[in-house]
Amino acid sequence: MSAGPDRHAELSADELRDSAGLRNLALSRSEVDRSTARRSDAAWLAAAWVDPGTRVLVVSDGQALVRSGDGPAELVFVAPQQAPEGVRFLLGTDADGVVYFGVDGSLPLPDAGPVPGAGVQPISLRQAGPLLSDRDAGLMTHAVALGNWHEVHTHCPRCGAVTEPELAGHSRRCVVDGSEHFPRLDPAVIMLVTDPDDRCLLARNALWPERRVSILAGFVEPGESAEQAVAREVHEETGITIEDARYVGSQPWPMPHSLMLGFRARATGSLEIKVDSDEIAEARWFSRGELRASIASGEIRLPPPVSIAHRIIESWYGTDLGGAW
Ligand SMILES: [Zn+2]
């Protein structure tokens, strides 16, 4: 039997498992149409804003109000007339025709503002994402991402003058030179590297507490492809050379404005790890059995299930894993 066809058969099985394992990433879900064609339709936007059925999600510093109690967790919306001052952006329209806006402003505190109710509190996207429905997870991820951008991109990078929101909050324009500026995303790669025995490489960032480990990650640099960034980051951080970097899925991570691009890659050549001690405190290879035992003994803890890192590790491991931070 030749190695060629076998190798391809294995790759296909891996790919199938990866694509199945990375469905429904907590922050990659949505149910609301973004209504992009309406962003420049001033009359439609004005009518939607005075419609009492319109729902507004207020976000502030990456948080929104979430109601959690006996039932599933849900976002707390306000009507447009109850919305605070702040940058407004169109989030979209659901299947029933309900229009959703976001406002980056002061959260209407449950005990002082227009929103009643026990069990309502401000929660970060990281905490709320896994608890919310597809609709609410998508709305909050979109709103937090735009809110984070507006909060720090108030001035023109060309001339320093003030910029003003346009396109229903999806761009900003300089009041002096007229230049248009779109929301910034910082693409980052995150990759699970395996050796020829299918052990996976986990590392502890130098800034993390003892016992926390994850797969390697880093920002894509200007003029670099995602695949090149995977190879560069793995080599810089651990001295390992990789081949066959393969995309497995992505998740927005607006904390404050990343897009995480998930990869699998194979180590080639020497498996001896030489950590870059500025960034990585320690790194080692784990078989599935070693990973299971290390989690059970409390020797290591994995990133939380909301992260794409957790899901990529699970997709390699083959089933759900506990032991999260
Ligand atoms: Zn300008």
Side-chain angles (χ1 to χ4, degrees), residues 33-266:
D33 184 282
R34 289 190 171 219
S35 308
T36 52
R38 298 294 193 185
R39 289 176 188 168
S40 52
D41 187 340
W44 185 90
L45 290 166
W49 188 254
V50 297
D51 183 338
T54 289
R55 297 181 188 179
V56 181
L57 178 65
V58 184
V59 290
S60 176
D61 200 19
Q63 295 191 321
L65 287 184
V66 174
R67 179 182 293 107
S68 55
D70 298 336
E74 58 184 12
L75 293 175
V76 175
F77 299 97
V78 296
Q81 57 268 37
Q82 296 174 306
E85 291 294 312
V87 177
R88 181 195 310 172
F89 29 86
L90 175 65
L91 296 175
T93 310
D94 72 15
D96 297 326
V98 175
V99 178
Y100 296 85
F101 285 90
V103 168
D104 184 46
S106 302
L107 294 182
L109 289 174
D111 54 351
V115 180
V120 173
Q121 57 182 323
I123 298 185
S124 72
L125 180 62
R126 189 192 300 257
Q127 291 174 289
L131 308 175
L132 297 171
S133 68
D134 289 357
R135 183 199 71 175
D136 285 5
L139 287 169
M140 186 171 176
T141 305
H142 189 179
V144 165
L146 277 175
N148 288 348
W149 175 66
H150 284 292
E151 283 176 16
V152 296
H153 285 80
T154 52
H155 289 71
C156 175
R158 293 172 180 238
C159 75
V162 168
T163 54
E164 291 182 341
E166 272 195 354
L167 283 180
H170 286 77
S171 75
R172 299 182 71 99
R173 191 178 295 278
C174 175
V175 298
V176 171
D177 64 26
S179 58
E180 189 176 21
H181 305 280
F182 289 95
R184 288 289 316 277
L185 280 182
D186 292 339
V189 289
I190 183 159
M191 47 277 179
L192 184 141
V193 180
T194 50
D195 75 359
D197 292 330
D198 205 23
R199 297 183 300 169
C200 89
L201 183 57
L202 297 178
R204 180 167 71 83
N205 188 292
L207 300 175
W208 295 346
E210 294 288 329
R211 303 193 299 161
R212 283 192 186 185
V213 297
S214 187
I215 53 179
L216 300 174
F219 287 109
V220 181
E221 292 195 340
E224 185 178 50
S225 73
E227 289 81 358
Q228 287 171 325
V230 170
R232 178 182 52 76
E233 287 284 346
V234 172
H235 194 259
E236 281 176 7
E237 295 185 347
T238 63
I240 299 295
T241 301
I242 62 104
E243 62 179 359
D244 201 17
R246 198 154 44 80
Y247 173 76
V248 295
S250 70
Q251 172 162 263
W253 196 249
M255 303 164 202
H257 25 69
S258 288
L259 172 66
M260 305 302 297
L261 306 167
F263 282 83
R264 293 277 303 264
R266 300 169 191 271

